[in-house]
Amino acid sequence: MSTQANHIGRARERGIVIGTLPSGENNSITDVSGVHVGHESISEGEIQTGITVVSPHAVTDENALYFYGKYTDGSGGEMTGYSVMDDFGLLASPVFMANLLSVGRIYNGAITYGFIRSSGLSTSGGWPPIVMGFDDRVLNDMTARRLTEDHALKALNGASSDNAEEGNVGAGVGAVSFGFKGGIGTSSRVIERGGKTYTVGSLVLANYGSYAEFLDESEANPPENLYPSLLGVVATNAALPSPVLDTLAAGAAYGAADIGSVRKPAGSYQIVSFSTGIAVREPNRAGIYDLEFAPNVSHAELRQGAREATTEAVLSALSAATTLTGSGGRTAHSMSDEMIGKLIRVANG
Amino acid sequence: MVAKQFRVRRGSTMSKFHFSRRGFVQMTFGSALSGLWSALGVQISKASSRRNTNPGNRTRLRDLGITIGRLPTGLHNAITDVEGVRVGHTTNISGSGRLIVGEGPIRTGVTAILPRSGNVYREKLPVGGFILNGNGELTGLLNTLNGGLLETPIFLTGTANVGIVYDAALTYLLQEHPEIGVTERVPVPVVGECWDSLGDIQGRHLSEDDVLRAIASAADGPVEEGAVGGGTGMRSYGFKSGIGTSSRRIPANRGGYTVGVLVNANHGSRHLLRVDGVPVGEELLRYPEDEVEKSKSIIIVAATDAPLLPIQLNRLCKRLAMGLAKTGSVSTHGSGDVFIAFSTVPRSSDENVSWTGDNGVSSLWEAASEATEEAILNALTAAPTMDGANGSIRHALPLDRLTEIMKKYNRL
């Protein structure tokens, strides 16, 4: 596994440069302080799947609330915890990605985690579970429902602040993207404003995109998702309120669409964003908090950072993913440098 | 009659009962204290077969002579008055005394609402939602709000059970449609929760089988109310509460449509409770109340046979909030008040869509508000006193005091 210490990002290693902002120290979502990433994978014949979890804090950290945002378009997907995100925008929940037929058990595992942290399942302890569902049936027999509550707990317990794995890992094990092997990718950007430095990082599950983006015949019968989607988590240490975090999540979706939706609809986009910059600790009675947010002038650049980091994360996912034969003997090939180049050229018009 | 599936866990000497449509068991919980349940506290008496009696439950608001609003109800004054809608419950009650996490006492269950007589996965229904106060879970909201089509039954249960119910719902859907996940889309189950802490909530005493049986037992006709199904462990306005339902019909010259509402009520502080405008909660402030927990949610489900677009169903959901407010709620921070409404007029195609013009919706809004207000009050009149973990008691709303107060305020 590539740890933070040596992570550059597969896209960057190939000389692909996205945007103009500098990347974070290790070009990973874990450049954002507090962020922990965990993966659990199953890669056995017909079963090619897994879960990925991204948390704004270590599982052993004291209970606290963080600001969250989201962006969703398209239907047919799942994002549990939606009501709390939409109305309160303050949670502590780790964000899971799991295939749609496994959402229930992963949710149940996250409930166990919630009880461990708070016998009353408080939001500051990590309730409600945020589980985003996706469809990986091309390479994975989803109906076998092999993922369990234990996988959720293992992913949480194994989550670390220097996990920068990409490709066929966690939720990315069975992912298919643009007719090739998809997977997990991550990247980060740094913004300097008003004498302060902010980092914004993105982690994506590239399970979207159509082969039709290439408009050529080089791949015969490319595997195509019937139900494609791009799932993402955007994190920042900039202290931002929820509506602004919504715009960062939207920026990430734009970043994924910059690569993915130029010629053909690429699927639905589901992004959760959060800030690790403010940790609100709940008092016993209503009180007044003094919160210091990042200045308004930083918002546009932070959004641009989310956008660039997400585009690069997608390209890193495609670069890192390796050829896999899975359910039904179907194969998704690793995207060659040439094809990645084509994808970028299509995106640039 | 809604068939009731009632299963008792190990540790009790009661055997498993199955109730058919013909007969039912009268469960009386009485007002005795903690010894009640350890003595099994259940008196089994001969069934009466009046179709609109709620087995194991006390009474309905209307049977006390209290009327809400001016519109007539549907035949059974229930969500099932909307044709095709069916409701089933599984109720898990056992044990008493000290809370032992993982063992008991058990006070939980699940309610399944099947939204149409046909197959909702195959032929989806328009749906909308509204988040009044977001401290609650209603899964599938993204799909509801972004897609506007309901494709699964709606489930109500305790907070800790959501994952179990969600997974069981997928098992059911896979059984019915083995092509799911193979050649067809994976549907997204709708599961709503309230915090039913009367028993061992962390123990999550609900199985996949419990959920499947609630689905299998779902029926039309009168709906069991009170401490049943997903409402088993709930309390509302400082009284024992749970499932409640009601319906309204709008005049023929407005379309003659029916709006049915079913609630899982677990919200509110006693001092707020109003019955048809009367400050019943204030009048009963000194009536015994268990240690007061923070307000903890209401999930409201509405159905209508009016052809409505999803965006109109979002709007209908806001009127459920108005009915809720008439019972006194202010939707406090801790209360997860999340609503969903569907129309039973299916979308036969994307091109051919029926809709009720906006000029015709206000009668439906009035119906939605009235039905919600009455459904909540029915949950309170139906639920009996029930004990819970560590000797706690959730006292039922005293019906004699209620009628006395209504008379005092000239509402009866």
Side-chain angles (χ1 to χ4, degrees):
Chain A
M1 145 177 131
S2 86
T3 61
Q4 179 159 295
N6 58 18
H7 183 256
I8 300 169
R10 300 299 180 87
R12 209 163 274 253
E13 281 169 7
R14 286 165 163 73
I16 296 168
V17 177
I18 298 297
T20 56
L21 294 167
S23 70
E25 193 182 323
N26 297 107
N27 197 22
S28 160
I29 196 175
T30 46
D31 286 328
V32 177
S33 69
V35 174
H36 287 66
V37 174
H39 303 287
E40 280 293 307
S41 311
I42 306 180
S43 182
E44 299 163 12
E46 293 282 310
I47 314 297
Q48 303 291 339
T49 194
I51 60 173
T52 292
V53 65
V54 184
S55 176
H57 57 85
V59 294
T60 49
D61 279 352
E62 197 182 298
N63 288 357
L65 295 169
Y66 304 83
F67 287 100
Y68 280 57
K70 60 175 164 51
Y71 174 85
T72 72
D73 73 50
S75 55
E78 173 68 279
M79 183 188 282
T80 66
Y82 189 100
S83 313
V84 185
M85 277 194 279
D86 194 66
D87 196 37
F88 289 6
L90 270 170
L91 302 93
S93 313
V95 182
F96 288 92
M97 301 174 181
N99 78 60
L100 280 162
L101 282 175
S102 298
V103 168
R105 290 181 199 175
I106 301 310
Y107 192 106
N108 199 29
I111 288 284
T112 299
Y113 164 78
F115 273 121
I116 291 168
R117 290 179 56 86
S118 161
S119 60
L121 282 187
S122 67
T123 47
S124 63
W127 181 88
I130 300 175
V131 186
M132 293 200 277
F134 65 95
D135 193 305
D136 59 2
R137 72 179 67 193
V138 177
L139 294 176
N140 174 45
D141 179 6
M142 285 201 296
T143 65
R145 293 201 281 170
R146 283 278 302 277
L147 290 166
T148 67
E149 287 82 350
D150 279 345
H151 288 104
L153 293 168
K154 273 197 205 147
L156 280 166
N157 288 328
S160 77
S161 58
D162 65 0
N163 187 323
E165 293 178 88
E166 293 180 312
N168 297 7
V169 68
V173 168
V176 168
S177 194
F178 301 103
F180 290 90
K181 187 69 188 69
I184 296 290
T186 186
S187 179
S188 68
R189 292 294 185 271
V190 171
I191 284 93
E192 311 242 1
R193 256 307 159 164
K196 296 211 164 125
T197 302
Y198 304 111
T199 306
V200 57
S202 178
L203 182 147
V204 301
L205 168 64
N207 190 48
Y208 80 135
S210 169
Y211 185 73
E213 290 291 303
F214 298 107
L215 284 189
D216 71 19
E217 304 290 322
S218 67
E219 186 76 22
N221 299 320
E224 285 262 23
N225 280 333
L226 281 179
Y227 307 105
S229 64
L230 183 292
L231 304 186
V233 179
V234 173
T236 181
N237 67 335
L240 298 171
S242 299
V244 181
L245 288 165
D246 286 344
T247 70
L248 258 66
Y254 295 162
D258 279 342
I259 282 295
S261 298
V262 180
R263 287 214 172 100
K264 231 199 146 192
S268 37
Y269 296 88
Q270 291 175 214
I271 314 284
V272 173
S273 54
F274 56 71
S275 164
T276 60
I278 293 179
V280 178
R281 292 191 159 84
E282 281 177 317
N284 289 328
R285 61 193 73 241
I288 305 294
Y289 299 85
D290 288 316
L291 300 175
E292 199 180 320
F293 288 113
N296 285 4
V297 291
S298 68
H299 295 174
E301 273 183 307
L302 285 164
R303 183 181 190 182
Q304 185 63 15
R307 183 172 186 160
E308 290 185 9
T310 302
T311 304
E312 183 166 336
V314 168
L315 292 169
S316 281
L318 297 171
S319 307
T322 52
T323 298
L324 183 77
T325 299
S327 179
R330 290 180 289 274
T331 301
H333 292 284
S334 167
M335 196 182 279
S336 65
D337 287 355
E338 192 203 337
M339 294 308 278
I340 291 180
K342 277 192 187 175
L343 199 58
I344 295 171
R345 278 198 297 282
V346 166
N348 288 336
Chain B
M1 184 74 66
V2 175
K4 179 168 81 171
Q5 299 295 325
F6 191 103
R7 178 160 137 221
V8 178
R9 296 282 171 144
R10 60 179 168 80
S12 163
T13 58
M14 277 179 77
S15 54
K16 201 170 181 171
F17 287 81
H18 286 281
F19 305 127
S20 66
R21 284 172 185 264
R22 295 279 163 97
F24 63 94
V25 164
Q26 179 103 24
M27 314 292 292
T28 57
F29 299 109
S31 57
L33 299 179
S34 54
L36 185 68
W37 281 102
S38 51
L40 299 179
V42 172
Q43 295 161 14
I44 301 170
S45 57
K46 263 289 197 287
S48 149
S49 56
R50 281 180 298 143
R51 272 184 65 81
N52 59 358
T53 303
N54 297 302
N57 295 284
R58 300 186 301 156
T59 192
R60 309 195 79 194
L61 193 75
R62 248 163 231 265
D63 294 342
L64 297 172
I66 302 168
T67 313
I68 297 296
R70 59 176 194 148
L71 295 171
T73 71
L75 177 60
H76 300 295
N77 192 17
I79 195 174
T80 45
D81 289 326
V82 179
E83 186 164 334
V85 180
R86 294 164 285 154
V87 177
H89 305 295
T90 295
T91 305
N92 288 346
I93 298 175
S94 83
S96 68
R98 195 162 59 90
L99 171 69
I100 302 172
V101 173
E103 280 191 33
I106 299 171
R107 305 282 187 272
T108 193
V110 61
T111 295
I113 302 166
L114 274 57
R116 58 171 306 189
S117 52
N119 188 314
V120 72
Y121 173 70
R122 283 265 155 263
E123 214 181 353
K124 304 179 201 300
L125 297 176
V127 70
F130 179 58
I131 303 164
L132 177 61
N133 188 65
N135 197 36
E137 175 71 87
L138 184 69
T139 66
L141 249 193
L142 183 162
N143 203 25
T144 294
L145 294 174
N146 284 11
L149 291 174
L150 180 66
E151 54 188 356
T152 75
I154 296 168
F155 300 90
L156 305 174
T157 189
T159 311
N161 301 332
V162 169
I164 293 169
V165 174
Y166 195 107
D167 197 55
L170 289 171
T171 298
Y172 161 73
L173 290 156
L174 284 164
Q175 283 170 359
E176 298 287 299
H177 308 282
E179 65 276 20
I180 285 173
V182 183
T183 56
E184 298 282 348
R185 268 197 56 239
V186 178
V188 183
V190 177
V191 185
E193 57 77 25
C194 303
W195 179 253
D196 56 351
S197 60
L198 187 53
D200 172 26
I201 186 170
Q202 190 171 340
R204 285 172 270 181
H205 299 279
L206 193 76
S207 68
E208 176 178 275
D209 197 48
D210 288 337
V211 180
L212 297 176
R213 282 185 297 112
I215 297 168
S217 71
D220 58 10
V223 172
E224 201 177 349
E225 295 173 303
V228 295
T232 302
M234 307 303 174
R235 41 78 67 201
S236 193
Y237 296 116
F239 294 108
K240 185 71 190 82
S241 183
I243 300 292
T245 189
S246 183
S247 69
R248 292 295 185 274
R249 272 183 301 115
I250 67 174
N253 65 355
R254 296 262 184 257
Y257 302 117
T258 300
V259 177
V261 171
L262 184 144
V263 305
N264 193 4
N266 192 45
H267 67 289
S269 302
R270 182 170 295 179
H271 71 278
L272 290 169
L273 174 62
R274 288 196 172 252
V275 178
D276 198 23
V278 174
V280 169
E282 279 174 25
E283 292 279 346
L284 288 174
L285 273 178
R286 282 210 252 283
Y287 191 81
E289 184 173 0
D290 196 12
E291 176 199 314
V292 177
E293 273 195 43
K294 285 192 290 191
S295 166
K296 281 292 181 191
S297 311
I298 178 167
I299 306 291
I300 307 178
V301 180
T304 181
D305 58 353
L308 293 174
L309 294 174
I311 195 170
Q312 294 172 312
L313 290 159
N314 292 345
R315 298 176 62 201
L316 189 157
C317 283
K318 294 184 196 174
R319 279 63 187 184
L320 307 176
M322 297 179 84
L324 167 65
K326 293 220 170 116
T327 65
S329 163
V330 299
S331 196
T332 56
H333 172 68
S335 198
D337 302 345
V338 187
F339 314 146
I340 185 167
F342 60 90
S343 162
T344 54
V345 179
R347 293 278 289 261
S348 55
S349 72
D350 286 331
E351 294 78 31
N352 292 316
V353 175
S354 305
W355 77 297
T356 304
D358 279 341
N359 284 333
V361 299
S362 295
S363 302
L364 292 168
W365 294 176
E366 188 173 352
S369 177
E370 284 191 16
T372 301
E373 187 181 351
E374 184 162 334
I376 292 167
L377 298 171
N378 274 338
L380 289 169
T381 57
T385 294
M386 184 179 280
D387 81 327
N390 300 327
S392 59
I393 306 274
R394 300 283 196 261
H395 294 276
L397 176 67
L399 302 175
D400 51 353
R401 297 290 310 275
L402 172 63
T403 50
E404 189 186 295
I405 293 163
M406 298 304 284
K407 283 177 182 154
K408 174 181 167 185
Y409 283 77
N410 295 317
R411 298 300 290 183
L412 251 191

